[in-house]
Each structure stands twice: as structure tokens, then as C-alpha cells.
Amino acid sequence: MIKYRRAGVASNFSPTFSAVLAEADAFARHCGAELEIVHAASFDPEKERRFIEKMGKEASIRWVESESPAQAIIAAAAHYRYELLIAGALHIE
């Protein structure tokens, strides 16, 4: 099994964000990694509350602003040196 020290999960408030956070948390624990949430926006106390509520515990949240969410996630991955970046996708029917 691969061991990671630092992992990030790119998350927003899509309909699947709860599942993405839960799966990322379980995977990070399995790999022995510290998990941080990466959110492509400026700090917002209400959003922080929602992330912590969904995680069920305190969580490190990286608030990253850029021209686009993709650029913010790429910048966060480089700046915080994540060994693993987890992201979910919105299921569209």
C-alpha cells in the first residue's frame, strides 16, 4: 500500500460534496495522510461551518482564489505540495 503524508480534496457545494468529503477522508486515513479541503473561493465562515459539519470534525480548509476553480486547485496542489489530490464530479443525468 502506498503511504501519503499530505492529501487534498477539491470540494465545492455540489450535490455530491458530502460523499466526496467522506470518501476522501476514508481514503486519506487508509493511506495515513493528513487531509486538507481545497476550496476555490475566499474565506467564508458559513462555508467553513458547512465543511466542518459534513466532515464531523475539525478540518483544515485551504481557501484559494484564482481566475477559475481549476487554476485555484492547481495552485493549491503546487503551493501546499499535496502528494495526492482527490476530486469528485457532479453526476448529471
Coordinates of all heavy atoms in Angstrom, one line a residue:
M1 N 0.8 -1.2 0.0 CA 0.0 0.0 0.0 C 0.9 1.2 0.0 O 1.9 1.3 0.7 CB -0.9 0.0 1.2 CG -1.7 1.3 1.4 SD -2.8 1.4 2.8 CE -1.6 1.3 4.2
I2 N 0.5 2.2 -0.8 CA 1.2 3.5 -0.9 C 0.9 4.3 0.4 O -0.3 4.4 0.7 CB 0.9 4.3 -2.1 CG1 1.4 3.5 -3.4 CG2 1.5 5.6 -2.1 CD1 1.0 4.1 -4.7
K3 N 1.8 4.9 1.0 CA 1.6 5.8 2.1 C 1.8 7.3 1.6 O 2.7 7.6 0.9 CB 2.6 5.6 3.2 CG 2.4 4.2 3.9 CD 1.2 4.4 4.9 CE 1.1 3.1 5.7 NZ 0.0 3.2 6.6
Y4 N 0.9 8.1 2.0 CA 0.9 9.5 1.7 C 1.0 10.3 3.0 O 0.4 9.9 4.0 CB -0.3 10.0 0.9 CG -0.4 9.3 -0.5 CD1 -1.3 8.3 -0.7 CD2 0.3 9.8 -1.5 CE1 -1.5 7.7 -1.9 CE2 0.2 9.2 -2.8 CZ -0.7 8.1 -3.0 OH -0.8 7.6 -4.2
R5 N 1.7 11.5 3.0 CA 1.7 12.3 4.1 C 0.7 13.4 4.0 O 0.0 13.8 5.0 CB 3.1 12.9 4.3 CG 4.2 11.9 4.7 CD 5.5 12.6 4.9 NE 5.9 13.4 3.7 CZ 6.6 13.0 2.7 NH1 7.0 11.7 2.6 NH2 6.9 13.8 1.7
R6 N 0.5 14.0 2.8 CA -0.4 15.1 2.6 C -1.3 14.9 1.5 O -0.9 14.5 0.4 CB 0.4 16.4 2.4 CG 1.3 16.8 3.5 CD 2.1 18.0 3.2 NE 1.3 19.2 2.7 CZ 0.6 20.0 3.5 NH1 0.6 19.8 4.8 NH2 -0.1 21.0 3.0
A7 N -2.6 15.0 1.7 CA -3.6 14.9 0.6 C -4.6 16.0 0.7 O -4.8 16.6 1.8 CB -4.4 13.6 0.8
G8 N -5.0 16.4 -0.5 CA -6.0 17.5 -0.6 C -7.3 16.9 -1.2 O -7.2 16.0 -2.1
V9 N -8.4 17.5 -0.9 CA -9.6 17.1 -1.6 C -10.2 18.4 -2.1 O -10.5 19.4 -1.3 CB -10.6 16.4 -0.7 CG1 -11.0 17.1 0.6 CG2 -11.9 16.0 -1.5
A10 N -10.4 18.5 -3.4 CA -11.0 19.7 -4.0 C -12.5 19.5 -3.9 O -13.1 18.5 -4.3 CB -10.6 19.7 -5.5
S11 N -13.1 20.5 -3.2 CA -14.5 20.4 -3.0 C -15.3 21.7 -3.1 O -14.7 22.8 -2.8 CB -14.7 19.9 -1.5 OG -16.1 19.6 -1.3
N12 N -16.5 21.6 -3.5 CA -17.4 22.8 -3.6 C -18.7 22.3 -2.9 O -18.7 21.3 -2.2 CB -17.6 23.3 -5.0 CG -18.1 22.2 -5.9 OD1 -18.6 21.2 -5.5 ND2 -18.0 22.4 -7.2
F13 N -19.8 22.9 -3.2 CA -21.0 22.5 -2.6 C -22.0 21.9 -3.6 O -23.2 22.2 -3.6 CB -21.6 23.7 -1.9 CG -20.8 24.1 -0.7 CD1 -19.9 25.2 -0.8 CD2 -20.8 23.4 0.5 CE1 -19.1 25.5 0.3 CE2 -20.0 23.7 1.6 CZ -19.2 24.8 1.5
S14 N -21.4 21.1 -4.5 CA -22.3 20.4 -5.4 C -23.1 19.3 -4.7 O -22.9 19.1 -3.5 CB -21.4 19.6 -6.5 OG -20.7 18.5 -5.8
P15 N -24.1 18.7 -5.4 CA -24.9 17.7 -4.7 C -24.1 16.5 -4.2 O -24.6 15.8 -3.3 CB -25.9 17.3 -5.8 CG -26.0 18.5 -6.7 CD -24.6 19.1 -6.7
T16 N -22.9 16.3 -4.7 CA -22.1 15.2 -4.3 C -21.0 15.5 -3.3 O -20.3 14.6 -2.9 CB -21.5 14.5 -5.5 OG1 -20.6 15.4 -6.1 CG2 -22.5 14.0 -6.4
F17 N -21.0 16.8 -2.8 CA -19.8 17.1 -2.0 C -19.7 16.4 -0.7 O -18.6 16.0 -0.2 CB -19.8 18.7 -1.8 CG -20.4 19.2 -0.5 CD1 -19.6 19.5 0.6 CD2 -21.8 19.4 -0.3 CE1 -20.1 20.0 1.8 CE2 -22.3 19.9 0.8 CZ -21.5 20.2 1.9
S18 N -20.8 16.0 -0.1 CA -20.8 15.2 1.2 C -20.1 13.9 0.9 O -19.3 13.4 1.7 CB -22.2 15.0 1.7 OG -22.8 16.2 2.1
A19 N -20.5 13.2 -0.1 CA -19.9 11.9 -0.5 C -18.5 12.0 -0.8 O -17.7 11.2 -0.4 CB -20.7 11.3 -1.6
V20 N -18.1 13.1 -1.5 CA -16.7 13.3 -1.9 C -15.8 13.5 -0.6 O -14.8 12.9 -0.5 CB -16.5 14.5 -2.9 CG1 -15.0 14.8 -3.1 CG2 -17.2 14.2 -4.2
L21 N -16.3 14.3 0.3 CA -15.6 14.5 1.5 C -15.4 13.2 2.3 O -14.4 12.9 2.9 CB -16.3 15.6 2.4 CG -16.2 17.0 1.8 CD1 -17.0 18.0 2.8 CD2 -14.8 17.5 1.6
A22 N -16.5 12.5 2.4 CA -16.5 11.2 3.2 C -15.5 10.2 2.6 O -14.7 9.6 3.3 CB -17.9 10.6 3.3
E23 N -15.6 10.1 1.3 CA -14.7 9.1 0.6 C -13.2 9.6 0.7 O -12.3 8.8 0.9 CB -15.1 8.9 -0.8 CG -16.3 8.1 -1.0 CD -16.2 6.7 -0.5 OE1 -15.1 6.0 -0.7 OE2 -17.1 6.2 0.2
A24 N -13.0 10.9 0.5 CA -11.6 11.4 0.6 C -11.1 11.2 2.0 O -9.9 10.8 2.2 CB -11.6 12.9 0.2
D25 N -11.9 11.4 3.1 CA -11.4 11.3 4.4 C -11.1 9.8 4.7 O -10.0 9.5 5.3 CB -12.5 11.8 5.4 CG -12.1 11.8 6.8 OD1 -11.0 12.3 7.1 OD2 -12.8 11.2 7.7
A26 N -11.9 8.9 4.3 CA -11.7 7.5 4.5 C -10.4 7.0 3.8 O -9.6 6.3 4.3 CB -12.9 6.6 4.0
F27 N -10.3 7.5 2.5 CA -9.1 7.1 1.7 C -7.8 7.7 2.4 O -6.8 7.0 2.5 CB -9.2 7.6 0.3 CG -8.1 7.0 -0.6 CD1 -8.2 5.8 -1.1 CD2 -7.0 7.8 -0.9 CE1 -7.3 5.2 -1.9 CE2 -6.0 7.3 -1.8 CZ -6.2 6.0 -2.3
A28 N -7.8 8.9 2.8 CA -6.7 9.5 3.4 C -6.3 8.8 4.7 O -5.1 8.5 4.9 CB -6.9 11.0 3.7
R29 N -7.3 8.5 5.5 CA -7.0 7.7 6.8 C -6.4 6.4 6.4 O -5.4 5.9 7.1 CB -8.2 7.5 7.6 CG -8.6 8.8 8.4 CD -9.7 8.6 9.4 NE -11.0 8.6 8.6 CZ -11.8 7.6 8.5 NH1 -11.5 6.4 9.0 NH2 -12.9 7.7 7.8
H30 N -6.9 5.7 5.4 CA -6.3 4.4 5.0 C -4.9 4.5 4.5 O -4.1 3.6 4.8 CB -7.2 3.9 3.8 CG -6.7 2.6 3.3 ND1 -6.9 1.4 3.9 CD2 -6.1 2.3 2.1 CE1 -6.3 0.4 3.2 NE2 -5.8 0.9 2.1
C31 N -4.5 5.6 3.9 CA -3.2 5.8 3.4 C -2.3 6.5 4.4 O -1.1 6.8 4.1 CB -3.2 6.7 2.1 SG -4.0 5.8 0.8
G32 N -2.8 6.9 5.6 CA -2.0 7.5 6.6 C -1.7 9.0 6.3 O -0.8 9.6 6.9
A33 N -2.6 9.7 5.5 CA -2.3 11.0 5.1 C -3.2 12.0 5.9 O -4.3 11.7 6.4 CB -2.7 11.2 3.6
E34 N -2.6 13.2 6.1 CA -3.3 14.4 6.6 C -4.2 14.9 5.5 O -3.6 15.2 4.4 CB -2.3 15.4 7.1 CG -3.0 16.7 7.6 CD -1.9 17.8 7.8 OE1 -0.8 17.4 8.1 OE2 -2.3 18.9 7.7
L35 N -5.4 15.1 5.7 CA -6.3 15.6 4.6 C -6.7 17.0 4.8 O -7.1 17.5 5.9 CB -7.6 14.8 4.6 CG -8.6 15.1 3.5 CD1 -8.0 14.8 2.1 CD2 -9.9 14.4 3.7
E36 N -6.6 17.8 3.8 CA -7.0 19.2 3.8 C -8.0 19.4 2.7 O -7.9 18.8 1.6 CB -5.8 20.1 3.5 CG -4.8 20.1 4.6 CD -3.6 21.0 4.4 OE1 -3.4 21.5 3.3 OE2 -2.8 21.2 5.4
I37 N -9.0 20.3 2.9 CA -10.0 20.6 2.0 C -9.5 21.8 1.2 O -9.0 22.8 1.7 CB -11.3 21.0 2.6 CG1 -11.9 19.8 3.4 CG2 -12.4 21.5 1.6 CD1 -13.0 20.1 4.3
V38 N -9.6 21.7 -0.2 CA -9.2 22.9 -1.0 C -10.5 23.4 -1.6 O -11.3 22.7 -2.3 CB -8.3 22.4 -2.2 CG1 -8.0 23.6 -3.1 CG2 -7.0 21.8 -1.6
H39 N -10.8 24.7 -1.3 CA -12.0 25.3 -1.9 C -11.6 26.6 -2.7 O -10.9 27.4 -2.1 CB -12.9 25.7 -0.7 CG -14.3 26.2 -1.2 ND1 -15.1 25.5 -1.9 CD2 -14.8 27.4 -1.0 CE1 -16.2 26.2 -2.2 NE2 -16.0 27.4 -1.7
A40 N -12.0 26.6 -3.9 CA -11.7 27.7 -4.8 C -12.5 29.0 -4.6 O -13.4 29.3 -5.4 CB -11.7 27.2 -6.3
A41 N -12.3 29.6 -3.5 CA -13.0 30.8 -3.1 C -12.3 31.5 -1.9 O -11.5 30.9 -1.3 CB -14.5 30.5 -2.8
S42 N -12.7 32.7 -1.6 CA -12.2 33.4 -0.4 C -12.9 32.8 0.8 O -14.0 32.2 0.7 CB -12.4 34.9 -0.5 OG -13.8 35.2 -0.7
F43 N -12.3 33.1 1.9 CA -12.8 32.6 3.2 C -14.3 33.0 3.4 O -14.6 34.2 3.2 CB -12.0 33.0 4.4 CG -12.6 32.7 5.7 CD1 -12.5 31.4 6.2 CD2 -13.2 33.6 6.5 CE1 -13.1 31.1 7.4 CE2 -13.8 33.3 7.7 CZ -13.7 32.0 8.2
D44 N -15.1 32.1 3.9 CA -16.5 32.4 4.2 C -16.8 31.6 5.4 O -16.8 30.3 5.4 CB -17.3 32.0 3.0 CG -18.8 32.3 3.2 OD1 -19.4 31.8 4.2 OD2 -19.4 33.0 2.4
P45 N -17.2 32.2 6.5 CA -17.5 31.5 7.8 C -18.6 30.5 7.6 O -18.6 29.4 8.3 CB -17.8 32.6 8.8 CG -17.9 33.8 8.1 CD -17.3 33.7 6.7
E46 N -19.6 30.8 6.8 CA -20.8 29.9 6.7 C -20.3 28.6 5.9 O -20.7 27.5 6.3 CB -21.9 30.6 5.9 CG -23.1 29.7 5.6 CD -23.7 29.0 6.9 OE1 -23.6 29.5 8.0 OE2 -24.4 27.9 6.7
K47 N -19.5 28.8 4.9 CA -19.0 27.7 4.2 C -18.1 26.8 5.0 O -18.1 25.6 5.0 CB -18.2 28.1 2.9 CG -19.1 28.6 1.8 CD -18.2 29.0 0.6 CE -19.1 29.5 -0.5 NZ -18.2 29.9 -1.7
E48 N -17.3 27.5 5.9 CA -16.4 26.8 6.8 C -17.2 25.9 7.7 O -16.9 24.7 8.0 CB -15.6 27.8 7.6 CG -14.7 27.1 8.6 CD -13.9 28.1 9.4 OE1 -14.5 29.0 10.0 OE2 -12.6 27.9 9.5
R49 N -18.3 26.5 8.3 CA -19.2 25.7 9.1 C -19.8 24.5 8.4 O -19.8 23.4 9.0 CB -20.3 26.6 9.6 CG -21.3 25.9 10.6 CD -22.6 26.7 10.8 NE -23.4 26.8 9.6 CZ -24.1 25.8 9.1 NH1 -24.1 24.6 9.7 NH2 -24.8 25.9 8.0
R50 N -20.2 24.7 7.2 CA -20.8 23.6 6.4 C -19.7 22.5 6.2 O -20.1 21.3 6.3 CB -21.3 24.1 5.1 CG -22.6 24.9 5.3 CD -23.2 25.4 4.0 NE -23.6 24.4 3.1 CZ -23.8 24.6 1.8 NH1 -23.7 25.8 1.3 NH2 -24.2 23.6 1.0
F51 N -18.5 22.8 5.8 CA -17.5 21.8 5.6 C -17.2 21.1 6.9 O -17.2 19.8 6.9 CB -16.1 22.5 5.2 CG -16.1 22.8 3.7 CD1 -15.7 24.0 3.2 CD2 -16.3 21.8 2.7 CE1 -15.6 24.3 1.9 CE2 -16.2 22.0 1.4 CZ -15.8 23.3 1.0
I52 N -17.0 21.8 8.0 CA -16.8 21.1 9.3 C -17.9 20.2 9.7 O -17.7 19.1 10.2 CB -16.4 22.1 10.4 CG1 -15.1 22.8 10.0 CG2 -16.4 21.5 11.8 CD1 -14.7 23.9 10.9
E53 N -19.2 20.7 9.5 CA -20.3 19.9 9.8 C -20.3 18.6 9.0 O -20.6 17.5 9.5 CB -21.6 20.7 9.5 CG -22.9 20.0 9.8 CD -24.1 20.9 9.4 OE1 -24.4 21.8 10.1 OE2 -24.7 20.7 8.3
K54 N -20.0 18.7 7.7 CA -20.1 17.5 6.9 C -18.9 16.5 7.2 O -19.1 15.3 7.1 CB -20.0 17.8 5.4 CG -21.3 18.5 4.9 CD -22.4 17.6 5.0 CE -23.7 18.2 4.5 NZ -24.9 17.4 4.7
M55 N -17.8 17.1 7.6 CA -16.6 16.2 8.0 C -16.9 15.6 9.4 O -16.3 14.5 9.6 CB -15.3 17.0 8.0 CG -14.8 17.5 6.7 SD -14.3 16.1 5.6 CE -12.8 15.6 6.4
G56 N -17.7 16.2 10.2 CA -18.0 15.7 11.5 C -16.8 15.9 12.5 O -16.8 15.3 13.5
K57 N -15.9 16.8 12.1 CA -14.7 17.1 13.0 C -14.1 18.3 12.4 O -14.4 18.8 11.3 CB -13.7 15.9 12.9 CG -13.2 15.6 11.5 CD -12.3 14.4 11.5 CE -11.8 14.1 10.1 NZ -11.0 12.9 10.1
E58 N -13.1 18.8 13.1 CA -12.3 20.0 12.6 C -11.6 19.6 11.3 O -11.2 18.5 11.2 CB -11.3 20.5 13.7 CG -11.9 21.2 14.9 CD -12.7 22.5 14.5 OE1 -12.1 23.2 13.7 OE2 -13.8 22.7 15.0
A59 N -11.5 20.6 10.5 CA -10.9 20.3 9.2 C -10.0 21.4 8.8 O -10.4 22.6 9.0 CB -12.0 20.0 8.1
S60 N -8.9 21.1 8.1 CA -8.1 22.2 7.6 C -8.6 22.5 6.2 O -8.8 21.6 5.4 CB -6.6 21.7 7.4 OG -6.0 21.4 8.7
I61 N -8.9 23.8 6.0 CA -9.5 24.2 4.7 C -8.6 25.3 4.1 O -8.2 26.2 4.8 CB -10.9 24.8 5.0 CG1 -11.8 23.9 5.7 CG2 -11.5 25.3 3.6 CD1 -13.1 24.5 6.2
R62 N -8.2 25.0 2.9 CA -7.4 26.0 2.1 C -8.3 26.8 1.2 O -8.9 26.2 0.3 CB -6.3 25.2 1.4 CG -5.4 24.4 2.2 CD -4.6 25.3 3.2 NE -3.6 24.5 3.9 CZ -2.8 25.0 4.8 NH1 -2.8 26.3 5.1 NH2 -2.0 24.2 5.4
W63 N -8.4 28.0 1.4 CA -9.2 28.9 0.7 C -8.3 29.5 -0.4 O -7.4 30.3 -0.1 CB -9.8 30.0 1.5 CG -10.6 29.5 2.7 CD1 -10.0 29.2 3.9 CD2 -11.9 29.1 2.8 NE1 -11.0 28.7 4.8 CE2 -12.2 28.6 4.1 CE3 -13.0 29.1 1.8 CZ2 -13.4 28.1 4.5 CZ3 -14.2 28.6 2.2 CH2 -14.4 28.1 3.5
V64 N -8.6 29.2 -1.7 CA -7.7 29.7 -2.7 C -8.5 30.4 -3.8 O -9.4 29.8 -4.4 CB -6.9 28.5 -3.4 CG1 -5.9 28.9 -4.4 CG2 -6.3 27.6 -2.3
E65 N -8.1 31.6 -4.1 CA -8.8 32.4 -5.2 C -7.9 32.4 -6.4 O -6.7 32.5 -6.3 CB -9.0 33.8 -4.7 CG -10.0 33.9 -3.6 CD -10.3 35.3 -3.2 OE1 -11.1 36.0 -4.0 OE2 -9.8 35.8 -2.2
S66 N -8.5 32.3 -7.6 CA -7.8 32.4 -8.8 C -8.8 32.8 -9.9 O -10.0 32.9 -9.6 CB -7.1 31.1 -9.1 OG -6.2 31.2 -10.2
E67 N -8.3 32.8 -11.1 CA -9.2 33.2 -12.2 C -10.3 32.1 -12.5 O -11.4 32.5 -13.0 CB -8.4 33.4 -13.5 CG -7.5 34.6 -13.5 CD -6.7 34.8 -14.7 OE1 -7.2 34.4 -15.8 OE2 -5.7 35.4 -14.6
S68 N -10.0 30.9 -12.2 CA -11.0 29.8 -12.3 C -10.8 28.8 -11.2 O -9.7 28.7 -10.6 CB -10.8 29.1 -13.7 OG -9.7 28.3 -13.7
P69 N -11.8 28.0 -10.9 CA -11.7 26.9 -9.9 C -10.5 26.0 -10.3 O -9.7 25.6 -9.4 CB -13.0 26.2 -9.9 CG -14.0 27.3 -10.4 CD -13.2 28.1 -11.4
A70 N -10.4 25.6 -11.6 CA -9.3 24.7 -12.0 C -7.9 25.3 -11.6 O -7.0 24.6 -11.1 CB -9.4 24.4 -13.4
Q71 N -7.7 26.6 -11.9 CA -6.5 27.2 -11.7 C -6.2 27.3 -10.2 O -5.1 27.2 -9.7 CB -6.4 28.6 -12.3 CG -6.3 28.6 -13.8 CD -6.4 30.0 -14.4 OE1 -7.1 30.8 -13.9 NE2 -5.7 30.1 -15.5
A72 N -7.3 27.5 -9.4 CA -7.1 27.6 -7.9 C -6.7 26.2 -7.4 O -5.8 26.2 -6.5 CB -8.4 28.0 -7.3
I73 N -7.3 25.2 -7.9 CA -6.9 23.8 -7.4 C -5.5 23.5 -7.8 O -4.7 22.9 -7.0 CB -7.9 22.8 -8.0 CG1 -9.3 23.0 -7.3 CG2 -7.4 21.4 -7.7 CD1 -10.4 22.3 -8.1
I74 N -5.1 23.8 -9.0 CA -3.7 23.6 -9.5 C -2.7 24.4 -8.6 O -1.7 23.8 -8.2 CB -3.5 23.9 -11.0 CG1 -4.3 22.9 -11.8 CG2 -2.1 23.9 -11.4 CD1 -4.5 23.3 -13.2
A75 N -3.0 25.6 -8.3 CA -2.2 26.4 -7.5 C -2.0 25.9 -6.1 O -0.9 25.8 -5.5 CB -2.7 27.9 -7.5
A76 N -3.2 25.4 -5.5 CA -3.1 24.8 -4.2 C -2.3 23.6 -4.1 O -1.5 23.4 -3.2 CB -4.6 24.6 -3.7
A77 N -2.5 22.7 -5.1 CA -1.7 21.5 -5.2 C -0.2 21.8 -5.2 O 0.6 21.1 -4.5 CB -2.1 20.7 -6.4
A78 N 0.2 22.7 -6.0 CA 1.6 23.1 -6.0 C 2.1 23.8 -4.7 O 3.1 23.4 -4.2 CB 1.9 24.0 -7.2
H79 N 1.3 24.7 -4.3 CA 1.8 25.5 -3.1 C 1.8 24.7 -1.8 O 2.7 24.8 -1.0 CB 0.8 26.7 -2.9 CG 1.2 27.6 -1.7 ND1 2.2 28.5 -1.8 CD2 0.7 27.6 -0.5 CE1 2.3 29.1 -0.6 NE2 1.4 28.6 0.2
Y80 N 0.8 23.8 -1.6 CA 0.7 23.0 -0.4 C 1.4 21.7 -0.5 O 1.4 20.9 0.4 CB -0.7 22.9 0.1 CG -1.3 24.2 0.5 CD1 -2.3 24.8 -0.3 CD2 -0.8 24.9 1.6 CE1 -2.8 26.1 0.0 CE2 -1.4 26.2 1.9 CZ -2.3 26.7 1.1 OH -2.8 28.0 1.4
R81 N 1.9 21.4 -1.7 CA 2.7 20.2 -2.0 C 2.0 18.9 -1.6 O 2.5 18.0 -1.0 CB 4.0 20.2 -1.3 CG 4.9 21.4 -1.8 CD 6.2 21.4 -1.1 NE 6.9 22.6 -1.6 CZ 8.2 22.7 -1.6 NH1 8.9 21.8 -1.2 NH2 8.7 23.8 -2.0
Y82 N 0.7 18.8 -2.1 CA 0.0 17.6 -1.9 C 0.6 16.4 -2.7 O 0.9 16.6 -3.8 CB -1.5 17.7 -2.3 CG -2.2 18.8 -1.5 CD1 -2.8 19.8 -2.1 CD2 -2.3 18.7 -0.1 CE1 -3.5 20.8 -1.3 CE2 -2.9 19.6 0.7 CZ -3.5 20.7 0.1 OH -4.2 21.6 0.8
E83 N 0.7 15.3 -2.0 CA 1.2 14.1 -2.7 C 0.0 13.4 -3.5 O 0.2 12.6 -4.3 CB 1.8 13.1 -1.7 CG 3.0 13.7 -1.1 CD 3.4 12.9 0.1 OE1 2.6 12.6 1.0 OE2 4.6 12.6 0.2
L84 N -1.2 13.7 -3.0 CA -2.4 13.1 -3.6 C -3.5 14.2 -3.6 O -3.7 14.9 -2.6 CB -2.9 11.9 -2.7 CG -4.2 11.3 -3.1 CD1 -4.1 10.6 -4.5 CD2 -4.6 10.3 -2.1
L85 N -4.2 14.4 -4.7 CA -5.3 15.3 -4.8 C -6.5 14.5 -5.2 O -6.5 13.9 -6.2 CB -5.0 16.4 -5.8 CG -6.1 17.5 -5.9 CD1 -6.3 18.2 -4.6 CD2 -5.7 18.5 -7.0
I86 N -7.6 14.6 -4.4 CA -8.8 13.9 -4.7 C -9.9 14.9 -5.1 O -10.0 16.0 -4.5 CB -9.2 13.1 -3.4 CG1 -8.1 12.2 -2.9 CG2 -10.6 12.4 -3.6 CD1 -8.3 11.7 -1.5
A87 N -10.6 14.5 -6.2 CA -11.7 15.4 -6.6 C -12.8 14.6 -7.1 O -12.6 13.5 -7.6 CB -11.2 16.3 -7.8
G88 N -14.0 15.1 -6.9 CA -15.2 14.4 -7.3 C -15.8 15.1 -8.5 O -15.3 16.1 -9.0
A89 N -16.9 14.5 -9.0 CA -17.5 15.1 -10.2 C -19.0 15.1 -9.9 O -19.6 14.3 -9.3 CB -17.2 14.3 -11.4
L90 N -19.7 16.1 -10.5 CA -21.1 16.2 -10.4 C -21.7 15.2 -11.4 O -21.4 15.1 -12.5 CB -21.5 17.6 -10.8 CG -23.0 17.9 -10.9 CD1 -23.7 17.7 -9.5 CD2 -23.3 19.3 -11.4
H91 N -22.6 14.4 -10.8 CA -23.3 13.4 -11.7 C -24.5 14.1 -12.4 O -25.4 14.7 -11.7 CB -23.8 12.3 -10.8 CG -24.6 11.3 -11.6 ND1 -24.0 10.4 -12.4 CD2 -26.0 11.0 -11.6 CE1 -25.0 9.6 -13.0 NE2 -26.2 10.0 -12.5
I92 N -24.5 14.1 -13.7 CA -25.5 14.7 -14.5 C -26.3 13.7 -15.2 O -25.7 12.8 -15.9 CB -24.9 15.7 -15.5 CG1 -24.1 16.8 -14.7 CG2 -26.0 16.3 -16.3 CD1 -23.4 17.8 -15.6
E93 N -27.6 13.7 -15.1 CA -28.4 12.7 -15.8 C -29.1 13.4 -17.0 O -29.3 14.5 -17.1 CB -29.5 12.2 -14.9 CG -28.9 11.4 -13.8 CD -30.0 10.8 -12.9 OE1 -31.1 10.4 -13.4 OE2 -29.7 10.6 -11.7

